[in-house]
Amino acid sequence: MRASRALLAAFALAVVLDLAFLAAGVRTGHAVAKVLLMPLLAASAARAGAPRLLVAALLCGWGGDVLLLSDAGPAFMAGMASFAAGHVCYLVLFRRQGPPHARAGLLAFAYAAALVALVVLLWPDLPGGLRVPVAGYSTLLTAMAYTAAARLGPLAGLGGALFMLSDTLIATGVADWPQLPRPDFWIMLTYAAAQFLLVRGTLDARPAPATAYREVRSTTP
């Protein structure tokens, strides 16, 4: 656990440095800090005993981070595909956590409404070649965020919602909508928080070993 905490502290430091570089407009510093984020978080999660699918999802995010450092169209598509693979890992992992809670139906309606509204609003302003890929990616992302909230609880649910917000900020930039000052700062802030909360929510959802041991003892004649 000590190694996991040290790696998590290094992740937090990398996030702070990345945000500081973005606020100051230091692009080279941002590029260096950004590529350190997910490997550090993945290593911390692995040392804490995280499921392999969780580590795989984070590494897919790292692949997307690296690819999106380029402004080239093919790199953007490849980065989106890498993030999509990460969402598939998250989806499979979250569905193994048990059945959805009692209010999952209301959540499903809310997330579906948000997805439809986002796609309808963005569609006319997206480049023609990106409309279908962005709609498909947004559907997968929304499914991940909903499943996190419905099966893992509020921490992971907030992580999924922040992931949606982060990627929505990217999509509005692609659609050439008006942006906040320093848009990359807000994108990275919400993204780093999202990935951390998804990790924390997943780890917290695991049954405690001591509890499992007591359950086994209680069923022994």
Side-chain angles (χ1 to χ4, degrees):
M1 289 302 295
R2 186 174 299 175
S4 175
R5 289 171 183 166
L7 288 163
L8 188 58
F11 163 75
L13 176 60
V15 171
V16 171
L17 288 173
D18 187 38
L19 295 177
F21 287 135
L22 285 171
V26 183
R27 305 303 302 180
T28 303
H30 160 62
V32 172
K34 182 180 182 181
V35 299
L36 294 175
L37 297 180
M38 290 307 106
L40 287 170
L41 186 57
S44 173
R47 294 289 296 185
R52 292 181 180 177
L53 279 172
L54 178 59
V55 176
L58 294 171
L59 293 179
C60 287
W62 173 72
D65 290 342
V66 173
L67 288 163
L68 291 184
L69 287 172
S70 170
D71 293 330
F76 181 83
M77 292 293 289
M80 188 162 54
S82 187
F83 277 116
H87 296 324
V88 171
C89 292
Y90 275 134
L91 267 172
V92 174
L93 175 63
F94 297 160
R95 288 182 65 84
R96 294 177 179 175
Q97 301 300 312
H101 59 64
R103 296 182 180 178
L106 290 174
L107 273 177
F109 176 80
Y111 276 95
L115 170 65
V116 171
L118 177 66
V119 171
V120 168
L121 289 171
L122 283 173
W123 188 272
D125 297 322
L126 289 171
L130 287 178
R131 287 173 177 169
V132 172
V134 167
Y137 174 83
S138 299
T139 301
L140 185 57
L141 170 60
T142 304
M144 182 279 291
Y146 158 74
T147 308
R151 294 177 183 254
L152 269 70
L155 256 168
L158 178 58
L162 285 174
F163 216 135
M164 288 181 65
L165 175 58
S166 179
D167 281 1
T168 298
L169 292 174
I170 295 175
T172 58
V174 173
D176 204 24
W177 285 14
Q179 298 290 295
L180 294 168
R182 301 287 184 196
D184 287 350
F185 176 92
W186 304 108
I187 289 168
M188 289 306 300
L189 175 62
T190 50
Y191 168 67
Q195 292 281 37
F196 169 74
L197 289 171
L198 288 171
V199 169
R200 191 70 264 160
T202 301
L203 294 178
D204 288 351
R206 296 176 302 173
T211 302
Y213 177 73
R214 285 195 297 271
E215 291 174 353
V216 172
R217 285 296 298 270
S218 67
T219 58
T220 303

